[in-house]
Structures are given as structure tokens and as C-alpha cells.
Amino acid sequence: ELRKHATLRTGEQVRVRPLRAGDEPHLRELFRRCSAETVDMRFPDTDRAVIHGDLAEWLQLDYKDHHAMVVRVGKPGEGDLVGIAQYDRDKATGMAAVAFMVEDRWQGRGVGSLLLRNLTKAAKTNGVRGFTAAVRPANAGMLQLFHRCGHPVNSRYENGMYHVTIPFDDE
């Protein structure tokens, strides 16, 4: 299990690690604390009540084709989850759809960057060929994060969304 302490660009100490089954209550709290806008950026056109009911599916990870990382603040064993990133690999292409959600008050502090670095490392270790994502135009922070990830980024605008592809085969 990858677990480590990190310092955000704002100086705050956090821990990043894979999501675990025991995180379900903390994940529910994260969703509760996020604004409707933040949840909608992650789950467009989905009823918030449905999201709360589907958390068990999030926790069914094999840590190879389906993986999720979280950032936690506070004392070990206490604290809150403030961000989550996950990928789901398409076995046909080797590419993985990636998605992020960071609690509103933690946005802009480096939580997304930390999650992307750690999820990318896990994906590469597991043989994932790259990431794909569908991003709303209003989610400029996510688009900026992808374009600063250190890998080539291809994006196209179609049907009201940016479709982003980040291949890892540049190394």
C-alpha cells in the first residue's frame, strides 16, 4: 500500500493513500461537505441522492484496473478526507478514465496535483497506458491541472465537454 505524508504548496501537512473499504463513512462526509457545484463537476447530470447510494461501488477496487487515492488531513485515524481521485482501466485500450473531486475549501491548495502525481505513479506501475477524462468547460482548474501534469495532453471539445487524453508512452 502506498501511503505517505506530503506538504501542500500552502504548507499544510496531509496524507495520501489508496482508498480502503473502511473509508466509506469518510467518503460520505466528503460528499456531504462538497457544494452541489463541486459534485456536479464530478458527476454531471446525476442526482446527489443517487451518488450517496452508490458509494459501495467506489469501494470495490482491485488496485490494478480500478484504483482510487485519497488525501486526508488531521491526526492519523481521525481527520477528514478532502480529496479523491480514481481511475478505471479499459482493458481493450489500456487507457484509464480518471476523475477527481476535491472539497471546496481545499481547492487551489495542491490537493489535485498531489492526487494526480500519486494516481499516475500507481497507474504506471500497473501498466496503464494513460488517462482519459471528460471535463466541463467551467472546470478550468481541472483542465489546468491536466495541462501541467508533465505528460503530453491532447484535448478536443465535443458535445459541450473537453475530452482529454494523456498518454504515458512518452517515456
Side-chain angles (χ1 to χ4, degrees), residues 96-118:
V98 66
F100 292 72
M101 191 172 76
V102 175
E103 183 181 342
D104 299 65
R105 64 189 172 117
W106 286 88
Q107 292 174 12
R109 298 184 189 190
V111 172
S113 297
L114 180 62
L115 285 166
L116 181 57
R117 280 193 308 275
N118 283 274

Side-chain angles (χ1 to χ4, degrees), residues 13-14 21 27 30 37 50-51 57 67 80 82 86 88 93 95 99 104 106 118 122 127 132 139-140 159-161 164:
Q13 296 293 308
V14 298
L27 193 55
L30 171 61
E37 180 183 5
V50 171
I51 294 166
E57 185 177 316
H67 200 307
D80 293 324
V82 297
Q86 68 181 72
D88 291 299
T93 66
M95 300 291 284
D104 299 65
W106 286 88
N118 283 274
T132 62
N139 198 348
N159 298 325
M161 299 285 274
V164 178

Side-chain angles (χ1 to χ4, degrees), residues 9-75:
R9 65 174 155 255
T10 54
E12 291 137 324
Q13 296 293 308
V14 298
R15 294 178 312 285
V16 61
R17 64 164 172 77
L19 180 68
R20 302 187 290 239
D23 287 330
E24 183 173 6
H26 303 288
L27 193 55
R28 287 188 186 287
E29 280 300 308
L30 171 61
F31 277 94
R32 188 190 60 72
R33 290 190 312 271
C34 287
S35 69
E37 180 183 5
T38 293
V39 173
D40 189 52
M41 287 292 177
R42 170 60 184 86
F43 300 97
D45 306 318
T46 302
D47 183 323
R48 197 171 173 126
V50 171
I51 294 166
H52 286 289
D54 287 346
L55 293 184
E57 185 177 316
W58 278 55
L59 300 165
Q60 295 177 7
L61 305 170
D62 63 12
Y63 302 101
K64 184 172 177 155
D65 293 322
H66 310 286
H67 200 307
M69 302 290 290
V70 295
V71 170
R72 195 163 186 180
V73 298
K75 295 179 182 178

Side-chain angles (χ1 to χ4, degrees), residues 17 56-57 65 70 81 83-84 91 97 99 102 108 114 120 127 149 151 166:
R17 64 164 172 77
E57 185 177 316
D65 293 322
V70 295
L81 293 184
I84 183 169
K91 290 185 181 183
V102 175
L114 180 62
T120 299
C149 74
H151 293 281
I166 306 168

